[in-house]
């Protein structure tokens, strides 16, 4: 069973701080990794994807991938209350078959 | 702008009924997916399709079937609904080979009584 593990949280950070969300995966052959944001009652929306080891930055978001450690993370700089949501890590196990983690709930307090 | 629509936001059915959930995408995507989302279990793939009339089982296909007669439409069928199929059902689509993202529809909250 291919698994993706996330801490369910909630992760609480003050406004303006850096939020760090983590994810580990079991399938060493996985090539593509995704972070989705899901607001309560809404469907997931993609915020970042990463294929190669290292960091990928997009605005306030940075995705980090370490394939040797089978570890993906998402950093959110200058966190805002509007970032409060559940963040889902997803791993493409082949042919776009995504395996999702159960998500980490982030709370950003003003 | 990609748009994935689902036929209903909320649906209430009785045990044993045959249930159809419809999904339509307007971006000419080859790939379409059906997931269910449950608290503590996350999103789980039920079925997916890479082309018209093609279907592949996901991780939890039992109790479900699908139909894809047209490229833009992917239907999920619960042959005989049961209470353990009460869930949020999410449809997604993506293009090939650019698998950068799967775009999700708004979801259908199905309650089986």
């Amino acid at each position: 069973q291919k698994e993706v593990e996330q801490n369910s949280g909630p992760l609480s950070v003050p406004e303006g701080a850096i939020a760090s969300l983590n994810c580990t995966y079991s399938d060493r052959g996985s090539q593509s990794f995704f972070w989705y944001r899901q607001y309560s009652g809404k469907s997931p929306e993609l915020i970042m994807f990463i294929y190669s080891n290292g960091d990928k930055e997009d605005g306030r978001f940075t995705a980090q991938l370490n394939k040797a450690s089978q570890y993906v993370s998402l950093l959110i700089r200058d966190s805002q209350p509007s970032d409060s949501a559940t963040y889902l890590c997803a791993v493409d196990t082949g042919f776009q078959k995504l395996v999702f983690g159960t998500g980490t709930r982030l709370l950003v307090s003003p | 702008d990609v748009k994935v629509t689902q036929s209903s936001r909320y649906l209430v059915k009785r045990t044993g009924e045959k249930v159809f959930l419809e999904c339509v995408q307007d971006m000419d995507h080859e790939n379409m997916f059906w997931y269910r989302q449950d608290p503590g279990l996350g999103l789980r793939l039920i079925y997916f399709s890479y082309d018209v009339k093609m279907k592949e089982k996901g991780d939890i296909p039992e109790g479900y079937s699908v139909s894809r007669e047209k490229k833009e439409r992917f239907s999920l069928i619960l042959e005989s609904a049961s209470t353990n199929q009460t869930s949020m059902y999410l449809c997604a689509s993506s293009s090939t080979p650019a698998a950068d993202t799967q775009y999700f529809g708004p979801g259908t909250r199905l309650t089986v009584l």
Side-chain angles (χ1 to χ4, degrees):
Chain A
Q1 182 78 7
K2 299 171 182 176
E3 295 181 345
V4 176
E5 300 285 343
Q6 293 181 258
N7 188 315
S8 61
L11 173 66
S12 296
V13 301
E15 184 175 357
I18 295 175
S20 178
L21 304 160
N22 304 313
C23 171
T24 59
Y25 60 94
S26 63
D27 183 8
R28 191 171 285 279
S30 299
Q31 297 294 319
S32 309
F33 307 87
F34 305 85
W35 283 100
Y36 283 81
R37 178 177 61 200
Q38 187 173 26
Y39 292 112
S40 181
K42 301 293 186 181
S43 57
E45 58 177 324
L46 182 82
I47 53 173
M48 289 289 287
F49 60 89
I50 186 167
Y51 301 145
S52 305
N53 273 333
D55 295 0
K56 179 182 178 182
E57 187 173 318
D58 184 2
R60 296 187 296 112
F61 298 97
T62 299
Q64 299 175 317
L65 173 61
N66 184 325
K67 289 187 177 180
S69 300
Q70 296 175 237
Y71 180 91
V72 193
S73 64
L74 179 71
L75 301 178
I76 306 174
R77 291 181 298 281
D78 188 25
S79 295
Q80 300 297 309
S82 59
D83 294 325
S84 297
T86 297
Y87 290 80
L88 306 175
C89 174
V91 175
D92 188 342
T93 59
F95 304 104
Q96 296 195 39
K97 287 187 65 174
L98 297 186
V99 176
F100 284 81
T102 54
T104 298
R105 187 174 169 216
L106 173 66
L107 298 176
V108 182
S109 54
Chain B
D1 195 24
V2 176
K3 190 170 183 181
V4 180
T5 58
Q6 296 183 228
S7 50
S8 305
R9 288 303 309 273
Y10 300 94
L11 205 54
V12 179
K13 295 293 182 180
R14 298 212 173 267
T15 301
E17 281 192 79
K18 190 169 186 176
V19 181
F20 293 87
L21 303 181
E22 303 285 338
C23 176
V24 178
Q25 50 92 6
D26 67 357
M27 285 302 291
D28 201 35
H29 283 172
E30 294 84 1
N31 313 311
M32 298 188 75
F33 307 82
W34 274 107
Y35 295 89
R36 63 178 284 177
Q37 186 173 29
D38 301 286
L41 296 176
L43 275 152
R44 293 177 292 167
L45 182 63
I46 304 171
Y47 266 98
F48 58 105
S49 170
Y50 294 135
D51 202 350
V52 175
K53 296 194 184 295
M54 291 184 65
K55 60 183 179 183
E56 299 285 342
K57 292 180 180 179
D59 297 319
I60 51 164
E62 296 79 19
Y64 303 95
S65 62
V66 291
S67 173
R68 194 166 180 201
E69 296 296 320
K70 294 185 177 181
K71 190 175 185 178
E72 68 271 18
R73 188 180 298 269
F74 192 34
S75 302
L76 180 70
I77 304 157
L78 287 66
E79 297 290 342
S80 178
S82 63
T83 55
N84 62 13
Q85 293 178 309
T86 292
S87 186
M88 171 66 82
Y89 289 88
L90 290 156
C91 175
S93 73
S94 70
S95 63
T96 303
D100 294 335
T101 185
Q102 291 184 14
Y103 295 93
F104 282 86
T108 295
R109 171 75 64 184
L110 173 66
T111 301
V112 182
L113 301 176

